[in-house]
Amino acid sequence: MRNEYALLAVILALTAVLLYAVFFVVPPAEGLGNLVRIAFFHIPVAWVSVLAFLVSAFYAGRYLRRPELRSDAVSAQSARLGFAFVLLATLSGAVFSKLTWGAYWNWDPRQTTIFVLLLIYAAYLMLRAVILEPRRRARVAAVYALFSFLTVPFLVFIIPRFYFSLHPSPVINGSGTVQMDSVMLRVLLGSLLDMTLIYVALLLRGVRKKEDSHET
């Protein structure tokens, strides 16, 4: 508990600093103006969703090697958080789309692949909901989580690059170099760290609550 409170304090302090930096330090971007500020939320939540799905798959594999319900709890909680973060990425992307292109949704390649990802992990959550026996649920969900994660790199990083997209170029371009103002880059890296810490705090809290409910 003490570590969780310390982590929360770090998150609050870092979030406050980053909010000030995003709104008062980061300069407008060429071609995007002040709309670039949305990216300091959109990119971190998208990053954390991938991280969360990776952690879910890792603990799913761990459960299949050694069936411990804690591994299943971590895998399930991480998948739930991944779904929540990818939903936030979708919503923030839709807002950006409306402000820049005039429509919340236009089936851009990145919007389409992220929609498919939402469906895949919504099915994971439904699968867990309909299987009542804990051991069977954990085993089936673990297999599904592993196969689901195989789609993540293709849907997030690979397939969208094969098609024309209105989506702004990624931070790391095709040549592997970073094209971003140095101030923006530092604030973005801080935002990625902050969102990652938020994910870790939520994961730890969710797993602890699950374990406490089993004890009672």
Side-chain angles (χ1 to χ4, degrees):
M1 287 293 292
R2 184 177 300 175
N3 291 336
E4 287 187 32
Y5 285 127
L7 179 58
L8 179 60
V10 171
I11 290 170
L12 290 175
L14 183 56
T15 301
V17 171
L18 288 168
L19 285 173
Y20 177 83
V22 168
F23 288 103
F24 299 105
V25 178
V26 169
E30 183 179 353
L32 293 176
N34 287 316
L35 292 180
V36 73
R37 304 185 198 285
I38 298 175
F40 296 94
F41 174 80
H42 176 72
I43 295 175
V45 294
W47 146 252
V48 167
S49 67
V50 174
L51 174 63
F53 293 144
L54 173 61
V55 171
S56 177
F58 174 82
Y59 277 91
R62 189 169 175 175
Y63 177 84
L64 292 174
R65 290 194 303 271
R66 182 179 298 178
E68 296 176 348
L69 286 180
R70 189 178 192 281
S71 293
D72 174 62
V74 175
S75 179
Q77 178 66 9
S78 193
R80 292 187 192 99
L81 291 173
F83 181 82
F85 277 106
V86 82
L87 185 60
L88 290 173
T90 304
L91 293 174
S92 58
V95 171
F96 181 85
S97 175
K98 175 65 175 179
L99 295 174
T100 53
W101 309 319
Y104 287 108
W105 199 266
N106 52 31
W107 294 105
D108 180 86
R110 290 186 181 273
Q111 289 181 324
T112 303
T113 55
I114 210 74
F115 178 70
V116 173
L117 191 61
L118 280 169
L119 292 179
I120 290 172
Y121 278 92
Y124 170 87
L125 298 178
M126 292 179 62
L127 181 68
R128 293 194 66 92
V130 299
I131 301 177
L132 301 180
E133 200 281 310
R135 293 286 179 181
R136 181 169 178 267
R137 178 177 61 222
R139 185 172 61 257
V140 173
V143 173
Y144 186 97
L146 283 172
F147 280 102
S148 295
F149 185 73
L150 294 177
T151 69
V152 174
F154 292 95
L155 293 173
V156 176
F157 302 112
I158 299 175
I159 294 177
R161 293 178 181 269
F162 285 109
Y163 301 94
F164 171 77
S165 175
L166 295 172
H167 192 281
S169 300
V171 176
I172 301 177
N173 60 25
S175 62
T177 60
V178 177
Q179 292 183 329
M180 180 176 281
D181 175 85
S182 60
V183 173
M184 289 184 179
L185 182 58
R186 287 195 292 270
V187 175
L188 178 60
L189 292 175
S191 300
L192 291 171
L193 173 62
D194 189 35
M195 200 62 68
T196 302
L197 292 177
I198 291 172
Y199 157 73
V200 171
L202 292 173
L203 179 64
L204 293 174
R205 181 176 177 82
V207 173
R208 181 173 57 80
K209 288 179 66 176
K210 185 71 173 178
E211 291 175 337
D212 290 346
S213 66
H214 282 160
E215 291 176 3
T216 57

